[in-house]
């Protein structure tokens, strides 16, 4: 830690706010650490060296957030190249300080595996400094992303000094943090970001990463409203109980979605083009796969939420479909249920919840509208527009309106649709600067283009009952990546609400497999 950083942290710990600071060097000091211990849930103690509070840019604007911490286990993994897990704790597009590892998420587990962990802070919608007596908001998009890219650059710039391989960075985040992880994965070395990173004094090295772990990424923000209404519109007069004005907005938004879906040019695993016509069947495939996996793991699924089952009454060795047919239900098959023996899925009456035999029972179909009504009954849906909501039917800004705001802290619209409604001017358009900011915050603009170096490896999860954004967002992200030849592990895990860093065994198996590829 150099003296300026020490001075800054002393001031901070004394309760003063340091508006800005200038650091001369981005070089990591391998001798400046404290020894710390993490106690895991099973009592295992992990000893590690903690390097904390390093600035990752030389022109520090916001010393509360533009720092990172690095944690190096005393017992590094016994593998030729040790990866670095870069975990962001961004949530709600707000600012996030550099944190220390937690025994209950991927950071603790990574240290236990002998991997290096980096936890950067970043500016966000609520970060402010005082300059010339005025409060300045520092975290308008894309500043939070720029900070995280600068942190990646710091790791690469100091590759010779930091244990772990800067060519093996796995980014990880949840929700808005999942979006940030997807952006770190998709926008590596993107030229649009360069001038800003230069101005910030980020290290002048590459910022592409090896892998992105994205839990419920709240992304594709400029299409998320139409995607939400196209999917959940079926619940408008049912469980969602919208009023007439809301239904009108919902229908206007939903009407814009088919041409967006068609414009993506996505294909399923068999190369069949995905269009608004067959898209819902494709989506059903992922939900059916999720339910099927859950059954295999011993979960029970109510017969009231839209799934149809084939239940083999004669037991595992009986006359039901051969086990091997389960493989036929993968999304690449368009989500079609197994066929072959001509038997129809039985329909279960109310109160007749079946028990399942994991070796002989199958999910044979899904009434999507019924399932979506179930999801909406677990957590009430957002009202339309779900993201760019400010000034359309309510005045309150969403987290997204805030992060697209300005230095004065004034929130802003980020779609033409909502801008037009707010201004009551059917011809209004976002200005060029806003269009560029929105573009820089959307990973979909980069995948499959030559604008950036996209990570080769992706682990994407969105809970099967997570309604914070529509299923189209993660499905499109994963599909676009698969279509561009990336290694993608994607699932909608059963019964999961909006959350992240779960099923760490699965995640860390995937990391180990990816390292061995
Ligand atoms: C988050 C959740 C949201 O529903 C949203 O719109 C933005 C961010 C979050 O949890 O980070």
């Amino acid at each position: 830690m150099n003296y300026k950083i020490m001075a800054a942290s002393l001031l901070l710990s004394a309760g003063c706010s340091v508006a800005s600071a200038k650091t001369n060097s981005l070089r990591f000091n391998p001798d400046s650490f404290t020894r710390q211990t993490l106690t895991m849930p099973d009592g295992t103690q992990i000893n590690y060296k903690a390097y904390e509070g390093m600035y990752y840019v030389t022109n520090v604007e916001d010393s509360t957030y533009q720092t990172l911490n690095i944690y190096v286990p005393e017992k590094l993994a016994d593998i030729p190249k040790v990866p670095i897990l870069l975990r962001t704790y961004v949530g709600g597009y707000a600012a996030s300080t550099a944190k220390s590892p937690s025994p209950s998420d991927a950071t603790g587990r990574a240290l236990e595996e002998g991997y290096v962990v980096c936890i950067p802070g970043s500016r966000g919608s609520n970060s402010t400094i005082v300059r010339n007596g005025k409060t300045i908001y520092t975290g308008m998009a894309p500043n939070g992303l720029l900070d995280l890219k600068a942190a990646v650059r710091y790791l690469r710039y100091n590759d010779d000094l930091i244990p772990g391989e800067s060519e093996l960075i796995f980014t990880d985040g949840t929700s808005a943090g999942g979006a940030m992880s997807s952006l770190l994965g998709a926008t590596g070395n993107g030229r649009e970001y360069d001038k800003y990173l230069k101005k910030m004094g980020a290290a002048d090295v590459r910022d592409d990463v090896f892998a992105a772990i994205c839990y419920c990424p709240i992304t594709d923000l400029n299409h998320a409203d139409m995607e939400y209404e196209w999917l959940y519109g079926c619940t408008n007069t049912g469980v969602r109980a919208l009023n007439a004005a809301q239904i009108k907005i919902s229908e206007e938004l939903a009407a814009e979605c088919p041409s967006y879906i068609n414009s993506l040019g996505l294909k399923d695993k068999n190369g069949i083009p995905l269009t608004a016509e067959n898209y819902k069947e494709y989506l059903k495939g992922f939900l059916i796969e999720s339910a099927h996996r859950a059954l295999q793991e011993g979960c029970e699924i109510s017969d009231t939420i839209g799934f149809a089952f084939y239940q083999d009454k004669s037991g595992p060795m009986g006359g039901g479909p051969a086990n091997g047919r389960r493989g036929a239900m993968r999304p690449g098959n368009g989500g079609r249920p197994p066929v072959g023996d001509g038997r129809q899925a039985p329909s279960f009456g109310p109160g007749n919840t079946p028990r399942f035999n994991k070796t002989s029972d199958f999910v044979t179909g899904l009434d999507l509208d019924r399932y979506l009504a179930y999801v909406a009954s677990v957590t009430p849906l957002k009202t339309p527009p779900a993201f760019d909501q400010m000034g359309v039917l309510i005045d309150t800004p969403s987290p997204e309106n805030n992060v697209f705001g300005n230095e004065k802290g004034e929130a802003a619209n980020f779609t033409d649709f909502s801008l037009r409604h707010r201004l009551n001017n059917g011809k209004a358009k976002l200005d060029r600067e806003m269009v560029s900011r929105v573009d820089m915050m959307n990973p979909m603009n980069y995948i499959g283009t030559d604008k950036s170096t996209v990570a080769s490896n992706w682990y994407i999860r969105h809970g099967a009952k997570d309604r914070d954004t529509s299923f189209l967002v993660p499905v499109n992200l994963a599909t676009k990546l698969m279509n561009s030849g990336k290694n993608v592990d994607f699932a909608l895990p059963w019964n999961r609400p909006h959350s992240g860093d779960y099923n760490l065994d699965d995640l860390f198996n995937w990391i180990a497999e990816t390292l061995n590829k």
Side-chain angles (χ1 to χ4, degrees):
M1 195 184 269
N2 72 28
Y3 74 94
K4 279 181 181 151
I5 300 176
M6 252 160 47
S9 26
L10 279 175
L11 279 170
L12 280 175
S13 57
C16 304
S17 145
V18 181
S20 59
K22 182 114 184 109
T23 63
N24 295 322
S25 166
L26 291 175
R27 286 299 269 171
F28 175 78
N29 180 353
D31 301 322
S32 177
F33 60 85
T34 57
R35 287 185 199 277
Q36 297 181 7
T37 301
L38 198 64
T39 305
M40 298 301 284
D42 67 358
T44 311
Q45 304 234 303
I46 316 290
N47 298 317
Y48 57 91
K49 292 178 184 168
Y51 302 83
E52 297 180 314
M54 288 85 73
Y55 292 127
Y56 47 67
V57 287
T58 51
N59 295 323
V60 180
E61 179 186 49
D62 197 327
S63 56
T64 310
Y65 297 107
Q66 292 181 294
T67 71
L68 58 74
N69 298 340
I70 293 176
Y71 301 96
V72 179
E74 301 277 1
K75 241 175 73 190
L76 280 173
D78 187 14
I79 49 178
K81 292 185 172 179
V82 174
I84 303 175
L85 181 81
L86 185 155
R87 172 66 152 95
T88 167
Y89 285 94
V90 168
Y93 283 100
S96 167
T97 52
K99 304 230 176 351
S100 44
S102 158
S104 54
D105 69 20
T107 55
R109 176 64 180 264
L111 290 176
E112 192 171 24
E113 297 287 337
Y115 301 164
V116 174
V117 171
C118 171
I119 309 180
S122 52
R123 295 167 295 172
S125 58
N126 57 344
S127 52
T128 56
I129 55 167
V130 176
R131 192 185 291 149
N132 302 329
K134 279 205 188 120
T135 298
I136 310 266
Y137 281 76
T138 60
M140 322 88 67
N143 289 356
L145 172 61
L146 295 170
D147 285 349
L148 296 172
K149 288 170 90 66
V152 168
R153 289 181 174 206
Y154 179 96
L155 294 175
R156 190 166 267 124
Y157 182 65
N158 289 296
D159 184 66
D160 55 334
L161 298 173
I162 302 173
E165 297 288 327
S166 64
E167 293 303 324
L168 294 178
I169 295 174
F170 289 72
T171 62
D172 174 27
T174 298
S175 194
M180 289 300 189
S181 183
S182 73
L183 283 159
L184 288 171
T187 69
N189 313 325
R191 285 182 294 277
E192 287 84 348
Y193 308 89
D194 261 349
K195 65 176 180 211
Y196 304 103
L197 287 161
K198 198 170 194 146
K199 207 164 152 204
M200 289 159 61
D204 189 12
V205 291
R206 288 165 31 225
D207 55 48
D208 57 299
V209 298
F210 181 69
I213 299 157
C214 313
Y215 287 96
C216 48
I218 300 285
T219 194
D220 198 8
L221 295 175
N222 46 324
H223 303 107
D225 289 331
M226 60 178 81
E227 295 177 303
Y228 205 84
E229 299 312 317
W230 187 72
L231 191 67
Y232 284 113
C234 59
T235 66
N236 284 353
T237 53
V239 59
R240 200 179 187 192
L242 294 187
N243 63 34
Q246 291 169 321
I247 289 174
K248 187 163 178 289
I249 294 294
S250 171
E251 289 177 352
E252 281 178 36
L253 280 164
E256 293 192 359
C257 194
S259 64
Y260 174 58
I261 293 176
N262 296 340
S263 77
L264 288 170
L266 300 176
K267 296 192 167 101
D268 77 2
K269 265 190 190 159
N270 299 323
I272 302 198
L274 293 167
T275 64
E277 288 287 298
N278 62 7
Y279 191 94
K280 284 186 181 162
E281 283 304 306
Y282 180 66
L283 166 61
K284 277 163 65 173
F286 290 104
L287 290 165
I288 288 173
E289 183 173 13
S290 170
H292 189 70
R293 274 196 204 173
L295 291 181
Q296 284 185 311
E297 286 165 9
C299 297
E300 284 184 19
I301 296 179
S302 160
D303 61 324
T304 62
I305 63 172
F307 287 94
F309 307 98
Y310 170 79
Q311 196 174 24
D312 184 355
K313 296 281 191 320
S314 53
M317 305 305 286
N323 281 347
R325 288 215 193 103
R326 277 192 205 117
M329 277 193 299
R330 306 197 85 79
N333 193 32
R336 286 187 291 280
V339 287
D341 67 355
R343 294 200 227 179
Q344 292 296 307
S347 58
F348 300 106
N352 180 19
T353 302
R355 299 203 161 263
F356 294 96
N357 180 321
K358 60 184 176 182
T359 58
S360 60
D361 298 341
F362 296 83
V363 183
T364 54
L366 172 60
D367 175 342
L368 185 61
D369 288 2
R370 198 161 167 189
Y371 182 71
L372 295 169
Y374 156 74
V375 173
S377 74
V378 177
T379 312
L381 296 178
K382 297 180 177 185
T383 53
F387 297 90
D388 193 359
Q389 67 181 34
M390 182 181 73
V392 181
L393 293 170
I394 51 174
D395 291 333
T396 328
S398 64
E400 293 79 9
N401 290 131
N402 286 326
V403 83
F404 282 111
N406 61 21
E407 280 198 348
K408 293 187 203 150
E410 296 161 341
N413 290 113
F414 52 92
T415 61
D416 284 338
F417 180 94
S418 294
L419 184 73
R420 284 173 188 166
H421 278 271
R422 183 166 63 82
L423 301 180
N424 201 13
N425 170 359
K427 293 212 169 94
K429 262 182 165 327
L430 299 176
D431 63 34
R432 273 177 55 186
E433 193 205 344
M434 181 61 81
V435 170
S436 147
R437 290 170 64 197
V438 172
D439 282 352
M440 282 191 281
M441 288 298 284
N442 193 335
M444 298 293 281
N445 292 330
Y446 292 83
I447 300 160
T449 74
D450 59 5
K451 297 199 312 189
S452 63
T453 313
V454 179
S456 301
N457 303 290
W458 293 76
Y459 183 93
I460 304 172
R461 294 290 183 270
H462 177 106
K465 63 176 187 187
D466 179 347
R467 69 15 135 201
D468 274 51
T469 194
S470 88
F471 295 119
L472 277 71
V473 169
V475 166
N476 290 341
L477 176 67
T479 305
K480 195 158 189 192
L481 288 161
M482 289 183 219
N483 290 173
S484 66
K486 303 297 176 187
N487 168 36
V488 185
D489 186 323
F490 173 56
L492 303 173
W494 184 251
N495 205 32
R496 280 280 167 195
H498 192 61
S499 51
D501 274 23
Y502 46 74
N503 203 346
L504 293 177
D505 286 346
D506 187 70
L507 172 64
F508 280 81
N509 280 338
W510 178 81
I511 293 177
E513 268 171 32
T514 304
L515 291 171
N516 282 329
K517 265 189 199 287

